[in-house]
Amino acid sequence: MDSIEKYLGEKRDFKVYMADKMLRRAVEREFEIIGEAMGRIEKLDSSLNISSKKQIISMRNRVIHGYDKIDNEIIWGTIVRHLPTLKKEIESLLK
């Protein structure tokens, strides 16, 4: 999550994101890693309260298995709406 934030910088701009293929691929890779970790967490302890656990795992599967069908607007929406919540939940669990 920190890597995605670092890649995007302070000024998050969808147009900049769309214009930079390397940035999009880097963010997609980070979501693959996050989704894989979430899948492993689910197998270890499905009772952990992570609000978007199933959606994260599903996004990972779409990114990995559907390269020709990646919806950049969905990725961006996840960054803007869900990543901050996920980060707070994970930080809380780590404490």
Side-chain angles (χ1 to χ4, degrees):
M1 293 174 282
D2 291 337
S3 294
I4 292 172
E5 291 175 344
K6 181 180 174 187
Y7 300 158
L8 296 174
E10 291 293 320
K11 291 166 57 173
R12 295 182 180 183
D13 186 326
F14 183 67
K15 289 180 184 178
V16 171
Y17 176 76
M18 286 303 298
D20 189 338
K21 183 177 183 177
M22 189 165 32
L23 173 60
R24 290 193 318 270
R25 296 303 179 254
V27 168
E28 290 163 9
R29 176 68 180 136
E30 295 299 333
F31 274 118
E32 290 174 13
I33 293 166
I34 292 168
E36 180 67 21
M38 199 62 54
R40 291 179 184 196
I41 289 169
E42 175 72 6
K43 288 178 184 174
L44 290 173
D45 186 353
S46 62
S47 69
L48 287 176
N49 187 19
I50 300 171
S51 60
S52 55
K53 188 172 16 180
K54 300 279 188 214
Q55 293 89 345
I56 294 165
I57 294 168
S58 177
M59 180 193 291
R60 174 232 177 240
N61 293 336
R62 280 193 305 270
V63 170
I64 286 181
H65 300 295
Y67 286 118
D68 60 330
K69 299 175 187 168
I70 293 174
D71 188 328
N72 292 308
E73 290 179 2
I74 290 174
I75 300 280
W76 188 256
T78 301
I79 292 167
V80 173
R81 287 188 298 274
H82 302 292
L83 202 61
T85 301
L86 175 63
K87 186 173 181 177
K88 288 177 187 174
E89 290 173 346
I90 297 299
E91 288 173 346
S92 176
L93 287 171
L94 291 173
K95 290 179 183 176

